[in-house]
Amino acid sequence: SFGTYVGIVNNNLLLKLEQSQNHISDLKSKITSYLDNNRETFHGKYPVLTFLMSVNIVAFLVATIFGTDIDGATIDQGLSMGATSITELVEGDLFSLIGSNFMHWDWQHLLFNMLSFYFLGKYVEEELGSFRFFWFAMFTGVCSALLGLLDYAIVGGASGLAFALIGVLFSLI
């Protein structure tokens, strides 16, 4: 009877895995269908750019709601919002290399980064495609955080990606 019970558990596990794969493929087809139906909208044409801009704006709003000064974060506020420093990296917080790209010191910093994303990112996402653009953004963000840490600075913001967008556009010209 124990062998039968193990067999039933394995069959249930296989059934659950198969159902999960069906849900994932259903979700993928719904997302693809949604994007196909909205190709003429900004978020349909540039889904990764829309995602990156949304995460940056939401992260800033959440930080502001939780007490960060909208006109300029202090160093402690910046570090609690996601900025990174060499100390954080040495302590093993590798995620801060990515998270710091979604933290902005004040509303002007956020505004100018989002304007550069909006006006420049469209062309780069069209050129690279959404998948490659996402990985380009993540790689550039990590590299810009690492380069900022070389100067023992406290790093935050998406300015590294904004300048990388300029570089890609100049290389295309």
Side-chain angles (χ1 to χ4, degrees), residues 1 15 31 46 91 98 111 113 131-132 145 148 151 155 170:
S1 93
L15 182 62
I31 291 171
Y46 315 108
E91 290 175 356
I98 295 173
L111 176 68
N113 278 301
F131 182 77
R132 287 177 50 202
D151 195 29
V155 179
F170 275 126

Side-chain angles (χ1 to χ4, degrees), residues 38-58:
N38 291 297
R39 282 285 174 214
E40 298 306 313
T41 63
F42 182 84
H43 66 275
K45 286 182 181 177
Y46 315 108
V48 173
L49 186 60
T50 303
F51 170 74
L52 292 174
M53 291 175 70
S54 300
V55 171
N56 276 285
I57 292 167
V58 168

Side-chain angles (χ1 to χ4, degrees), residues 95-168:
F95 181 74
S96 67
L97 291 174
I98 295 173
S100 64
N101 290 283
F102 299 103
M103 173 270 158
H104 290 82
W105 293 100
D106 56 26
W107 68 270
Q108 295 101 335
H109 185 202
L110 176 70
L111 176 68
F112 287 112
N113 278 301
M114 294 306 100
L115 285 172
S116 65
F117 276 27
Y118 180 79
F119 288 110
L120 305 174
K122 298 186 294 187
Y123 301 109
V124 177
E125 186 167 355
E126 279 180 7
E127 184 68 28
L128 297 178
S130 295
F131 182 77
R132 287 177 50 202
F133 179 68
F134 175 79
W135 290 111
F136 167 77
M138 293 299 107
F139 177 75
T140 303
V142 170
C143 288
S144 67
L146 286 171
L147 287 172
L149 291 175
L150 289 177
D151 195 29
Y152 298 102
I154 296 173
V155 179
S159 300
L161 177 56
F163 284 108
L165 293 173
I166 294 170
V168 168

